[in-house]
Structures are given as structure tokens and as C-alpha cells.
Amino acid sequence: ATADIGTSKRVVEPISDTMGRHSNDSMGASTPDQPLLGGEFSHSTLESLRSSFDDAGLTVEHGEARRRLSSASSSGELTEFERAWSQRQRGFQLLALVCTLLISVGSHYSAHTLGALKSTIKKELDITNTQYGALQSSVSAVNTVLPILGGLFIDYFGTNSGSLIATSLIMLGNLIISLSTHTQSFSTMVAGRILYGLGSGTITVVQETILGSWFKGKGLAITIAIQITTSRIASFLSMGTAIPIANRFGFYGAAFWANFVVCALSFGINLVYIGAMRRIRRNTSQNVLDRLRTKHKFNPRLVVFFFGIYWMIIVESFTLGGGWNSFLHINSELVKLRFGVNDAIAAWSASVSQIMPIFLVPFLGWFFDLYGKRTDMLVLSTSTFTISMLLLGFTKANPLIGLVVFSISLALGPLAEITAISLILPSNSLGTGLGIYKSAMNTGSTIVDIVVGVLQDRGSRVLEDSENSYDYVMAFFTAWGAVSTLVAGTIFLVDRFKWSSLLRSNASDRKEAYHVVKAKINRPMLYAAATNWRDYAALWNYIPLIILGCLLVVSWVLFAVKLA
């Protein structure tokens, strides 16, 4: 079969004949998302570059990349680059890390203000719980598709354009939401939430892709952990300060204007980052840029050959991720009604649900590198989610206990899922893979938000706005958590018996695990590159895409019906 690989055409022998040869070569050259920041140049010495090729096994162009490195080393061209790069890399990485963390602070700070003010919003806009659920889901609904398109955009064009568009939409959306509080317009607030959602759904994928380009190996899990921690700090502050800001100014819209100010600051930080990247490119010799920059060559057909274990993680994202997001949208009112406290105390109590990721996630980044155990943590995350729903919904225990248990789930799950995806997907399709992950989470959130609103509105009217008004909702969340626990257990078993415990391995054991499953990891790259790729695609390859498509349609139909 004839295939285009990189920029040259080669003859690809039958897959069965070439698999052994490909599996014996390393496939670790990742494609950079920013100038000079490709995975193959993420270390300061040639030896570490070669080591990174040996570890990952993730790119079809491995032979060409190795020859390029070998040629550059023998001719001395790479020495000049490495000499300059070794002196400046850490400074560039620190700048990239700080800016990348800050560009999404506005998005995360704005995410939970609506939840903290749920009772006030329903009263001021004169809407039902179902309409409130539709208002919340207006963000997740647009993000059922956008992260996939955004991931494709990032894979093709890089993060500068993506981050600029995303932060602009986030800022504009929050401006419209703030204005809607003065007109008491439900439809205007929905429009603002949609614009905000268009940006917020892409910004996290942008962040994770930037970090994946700047940091590799041990540094990646730690930096993603810091990114998650930063987002949780912003969310914690948002939930805790929304009511005090509204009370201080005597107007609930003041909390939304505070969101707009923070979003504007994030937009400014993004401009600083883009300017810094352009300056780095200008200060680097063109011959080094021409030789070392690698353009993304993402093949959309690769999605068809994504691994079964990846799609299991996507199912987990739909169930557990959708449950996390939806619960965070209603936990403040839940505490207020079920435990009989005022709005301010309920908001601060609900903010505890964001507290454990702030402290646990940085430790988890180190833990995953030293011990692995990603699938173990995923099972624990689903279990603690279910336990927290039982505590909050069906006991009289102090709500802080259940909220802390929930926050443990929120700390353990996301980092385990994201780092697991980064281990099993080719780096040049990581943006798309993470986009699908976010899409599934938002699809679940959209559906669950609306189901929760319907359960609360259509339950017994006698129970409405009383301590028992969330009984049906919490029963649903408990069952939802049980399903997610079953999925996590399946991922654990598949990784153990089919993937040589790759997802459970630590940094030192990962090389051996990759060696065992290298042929499996390389196979989709070869299939997607072949002109007769359809011959290698079985029916089951399309089933996950069909199911995801059907769920997308369901979420949009529910959103449209309940919004109307």
C-alpha cells in the first residue's frame, strides 16, 4: 500500500510484514505546538533526546526524525542550538507554565458563580429549576462538539490562534452575562453563556496541549497537576466570593462583573504569552528553525483506530465527569435547602467541594511519576464520588464531610484520566484525543444538568424548596456514581491484562511496559497511514464514534426542548 508519511511518499509493505520492524524502532518524536518546543527537543542534550525517542513509541515519522537528529549531531548544527537552548530552556518553560496557568483563570473563576447564586438567579429571572438547568447546560451543550473541533484546530494550526480566540470569547461572553443582570433577561444571559462556553471549552485543551509541548516525561504529570490545582483555586474563590461580592454592592450582578474583570486579565496574560513566543522565534536563527520545527501532520483517520481502552476512558469522562460538573452546579442550593443555612454559608460550604484538589493534585503529579497507579486512583475517585452522594443525600452528617469526600474524587480523577490519555495516544493526535475527552464530559454534563432540573421540578411539589427537595436528585447521582465505578473497574482490568499495566506503571517501569505493548501502540499509526486503511477498520472501530454522535444529538435535543 502507498501512504503519505511526513512530506515524502513511501511504499508501505503489508502491515503484517512491517509490524516487527516498526515495533523494534522507537516512535517518540512528538510534534511541537509552539516554535522550538517539540517533544523531540524538550531536553537539553542529544542523549536525552534519543532517550525520549526510545521511551514513547508514538510517531510514524520516527525514522526520519532520528536520521535528522543524527545528521544534525554529526554536522554540528544541533550543537549550536543545544548550547543556546540549554541556557534558556528553563526560563522559557517557566514563562510558558505561568502564562498557561493564568490564561484560564478567568474561565474557571466564572464557571461556578451561577451555581453559588442559583436561588437568586431563579428569583430574579423568574425561572424554574428546569430552565436553570438549561441555563447551566448552555455552556456544556456548545462544548459537546467544540472541543473536538478545537482539538483538530490545535493539531493543525497550533495554540496561539486557539488561545487568542478562546480568551476573547470568554471575555465577551462574561460581558454579555453581566449586562443581562441589569435587564433581567434570561435569553440574553443564555446568549452570553453560549459565547462563554465557546471559549471555555477550548481553553483547557489549549492549556494541556501547550504543556504537552513544553514538558515531557516526568515534568508533564506535575505541570498538568499544577494546572488542575490552579483551576480549582479559581473555582474555590469563585464559589466563596460570589455571595459576599453581591452583598457588598447590594446587587447580584456585581459578582458577574467581577468575573468579567478576571477574564479581561486572563486575556491580557494571553497576549503576553503570544508576544513572548513570537520574540523567541525572532531571536532564533532561521536555519535552526527550518531544521528543528516540525509541523503537525495529524491524520484524521487515526481517530477510527483509537484504542478500546481510550474509549473506556471517554465513557468514564461522560459518567464521572458529567456527574462532577452537574453536582458543582447545584451543591450550594443543596446545602442551603437540605441543611437549613443561609446563602452565604451555603456558598462557602459548597466551595469546600473544590478544596482537596488544591492540596492533593500537586502531590498526585509526583505520585503518578513515582508509583503510577492511575487506574487505582480512578477506581478510588468513582468510589468516593458515590460515597459522597450517599452522605449528602441520605444522612444528617455534617455536609462538610460529604463535600470533602466529593473533593477527593474531584482531585483523583481528572489527572488520572488526562495522563492516561497522554500515555496511550500519539502526540500528534493528543489535541483531538483530549477534545473528544472534553466533549464526552460536556455531553454528560448537559444531559445530567437537565435531568437534575426535571427531577427537582417534577418531583413532589410538596417537597419543593424543602430539605427533601433533592431526594430524587441525590438518588440519581448515587446510581450514576455506581455506573462510573463499574466503568473504572473495567478500565483497571483491561489495563492489567491487555496493556501490561501501562497505566499503572511509574516513570521507571513505563519503558518496559511500552516495550511489551509497542506493537499495539504502533499499529493504528500504520493502519491510518495506509491507502487501504478501510481494510483494517472493523465495525467495532466505528461503534464508539456512533454512540458518541447519538449522545451528542440527545444532549442537544434535551437542551433545545428545555430551553424553549
Side-chain angles (χ1 to χ4, degrees):
T2 302
D4 292 332
I5 303 179
T7 57
S8 61
K9 289 191 175 182
R10 306 176 185 175
V11 176
V12 179
E13 299 170 27
I15 297 295
S16 59
D17 295 332
T18 61
M19 187 60 63
R21 187 189 323 149
H22 282 282
S23 63
N24 290 330
D25 290 334
S26 60
M27 290 186 171
S30 65
T31 51
D33 195 71
Q34 299 294 323
L36 300 178
L37 305 179
E40 56 191 286
F41 302 109
S42 61
H43 302 282
S44 59
T45 65
L46 179 61
E47 190 62 32
S48 61
L49 291 175
R50 286 171 174 164
S51 175
S52 70
F53 280 111
D54 292 333
D55 287 344
L58 298 179
T59 301
V60 169
E61 296 92 341
H62 63 289
E64 180 182 347
R66 255 191 170 172
R67 287 192 296 274
R68 188 166 72 249
L69 285 172
S70 177
S71 174
S73 177
S74 62
S75 64
E77 293 179 47
L78 193 59
T79 304
E80 175 189 354
F81 168 77
E82 286 184 331
R83 185 164 52 248
W85 184 252
S86 63
Q87 298 172 358
R88 303 166 66 188
Q89 181 190 20
R90 290 187 179 179
F92 290 158
Q93 285 181 317
L94 180 60
L95 174 65
L97 177 61
V98 172
C99 291
T100 303
L101 295 177
L102 294 179
I103 62 175
S104 72
V105 167
S107 173
H108 292 292
Y109 186 83
S110 305
H112 299 288
T113 301
L114 201 67
L117 293 167
K118 178 179 178 180
S119 296
T120 303
I121 294 292
K122 290 193 299 180
K123 179 181 178 181
E124 293 291 337
L125 300 184
D126 191 25
I127 58 176
T128 65
N129 288 296
T130 301
Q131 287 176 304
Y132 172 83
L135 178 62
Q136 280 284 16
S137 64
S138 59
V139 172
S140 55
V142 297
N143 286 309
T144 56
V145 176
L146 188 65
I148 301 176
L149 300 179
L152 288 168
F153 182 88
I154 292 166
D155 283 333
Y156 277 116
F157 301 108
T159 57
N160 280 0
S161 299
S163 64
L164 184 61
I165 293 172
T167 52
S168 299
L169 289 171
I170 290 169
M171 183 172 62
L172 179 60
N174 276 278
L175 175 61
I176 295 175
I177 292 171
S178 301
L179 293 173
S180 73
T181 62
H182 294 274
T183 61
Q184 308 296 314
S185 172
F186 175 68
S187 59
T188 302
M189 185 172 285
V190 169
R193 292 277 295 174
I194 289 174
L195 285 177
Y196 161 71
L198 290 172
S200 65
T202 305
I203 195 66
T204 305
V205 178
V206 169
Q207 279 187 299
E208 290 161 358
T209 307
I210 290 176
L211 294 177
S213 298
W214 277 98
F215 300 92
K216 296 295 175 183
K218 294 182 179 180
L220 180 58
I222 295 174
T223 53
I224 290 180
I226 296 173
Q227 179 256 323
I228 294 174
T229 299
T230 304
S231 70
R232 294 306 173 192
I233 291 175
S235 298
F236 170 78
L237 293 175
S238 172
M239 296 184 72
T241 60
I243 298 294
I245 290 174
N247 290 341
R248 171 65 179 80
F249 291 92
F251 174 51
Y252 78 101
F256 293 99
W257 281 110
N259 292 347
F260 171 71
V261 172
V262 177
C263 291
L265 292 174
S266 291
F267 177 78
I269 293 295
N270 189 42
L271 294 180
V272 171
Y273 176 75
I274 292 174
M277 293 303 99
R278 290 177 178 174
R279 182 175 180 180
I280 291 172
R281 182 167 53 184
R282 286 198 304 267
N283 293 339
T284 305
S285 60
Q286 188 61 43
N287 66 317
V288 174
L289 278 172
D290 292 340
R291 177 168 287 276
L292 299 185
R293 281 186 67 190
T294 305
K295 187 177 180 181
H296 278 255
K297 299 177 178 65
F298 172 66
N299 187 346
R301 296 188 302 229
L302 189 60
V303 176
V304 177
F305 299 102
F306 277 177
F307 305 108
I309 195 170
Y310 165 80
W311 291 113
M312 293 178 192
I313 297 174
I314 298 305
V315 173
E316 190 67 281
S317 174
F318 174 83
T319 54
L320 185 59
W324 284 331
N325 290 337
S326 296
F327 178 76
L328 289 172
H329 295 162
I330 56 92
N331 60 347
S332 180
E333 190 183 57
L334 167 69
V335 173
K336 174 186 175 180
L337 295 180
R338 180 160 173 74
F339 298 95
V341 298
N342 61 37
D343 286 330
I345 295 176
W348 272 113
S349 299
S351 68
V352 172
S353 61
Q354 305 271 3
I355 195 70
M356 292 308 291
I358 297 174
F359 301 103
L360 281 182
V361 170
F363 166 77
L364 285 172
W366 167 83
F367 180 87
F368 286 152
D369 279 328
L370 190 61
Y371 298 106
K373 311 298 183 183
R374 292 168 184 81
T375 52
D376 304 68
M377 293 300 103
L378 192 55
V379 172
L380 184 58
S381 176
T382 58
S383 301
T384 50
F385 174 83
T386 307
I387 292 171
S388 69
M389 296 301 104
L390 288 170
L391 289 172
L392 290 167
F394 304 101
T395 74
K396 286 297 183 178
N398 190 306
L400 295 179
I401 298 174
L403 291 169
V404 168
V405 174
F406 172 85
S407 71
I408 293 174
S409 172
L410 197 60
L412 299 178
L415 186 61
E417 292 174 337
I418 292 169
T419 55
I421 289 174
S422 70
L423 288 178
I424 60 178
L425 284 190
S427 58
N428 65 340
S429 63
L430 186 58
T432 302
L434 290 173
I436 294 174
Y437 168 81
K438 299 297 181 183
S439 174
M441 181 180 293
N442 286 309
T443 301
S445 181
T446 300
I447 294 174
V448 174
D449 272 338
I450 294 173
V451 168
V452 166
V454 170
L455 287 174
Q456 197 174 356
D457 275 337
R458 295 190 178 180
S460 173
R461 296 295 179 179
V462 177
L463 301 180
E464 188 172 357
D465 291 335
S466 72
E467 66 175 80
N468 301 113
S469 61
Y470 273 91
D471 284 355
Y472 299 138
V473 173
M474 299 310 292
F476 169 78
F477 273 130
T478 302
W480 198 251
V483 172
S484 68
T485 303
L486 179 62
V487 175
T490 304
I491 294 173
F492 178 93
L493 294 175
V494 171
D495 176 60
R496 172 66 179 83
F497 294 106
K498 298 294 185 180
W499 281 84
S500 190
S501 295
L502 174 64
L503 303 185
R504 298 188 76 236
S505 63
N506 57 24
S508 60
D509 295 336
R510 196 175 305 138
K511 186 173 182 178
E512 180 180 352
Y514 267 127
H515 178 74
V516 174
V517 299
K518 186 178 293 185
K520 180 183 293 187
I521 288 180
N522 293 342
R523 192 175 298 124
M525 303 292 294
L526 300 176
Y527 287 168
T531 54
N532 60 335
W533 62 275
R534 290 183 180 85
D535 295 341
Y536 303 108
L539 177 62
W540 78 268
N541 292 102
Y542 297 97
I543 290 178
L545 295 172
I546 294 172
I547 293 176
L548 181 60
C550 291
L551 290 173
L552 289 175
V553 172
V554 169
S555 67
W556 272 95
V557 169
L558 286 175
F559 171 67
V561 170
K562 297 307 176 182
L563 189 63

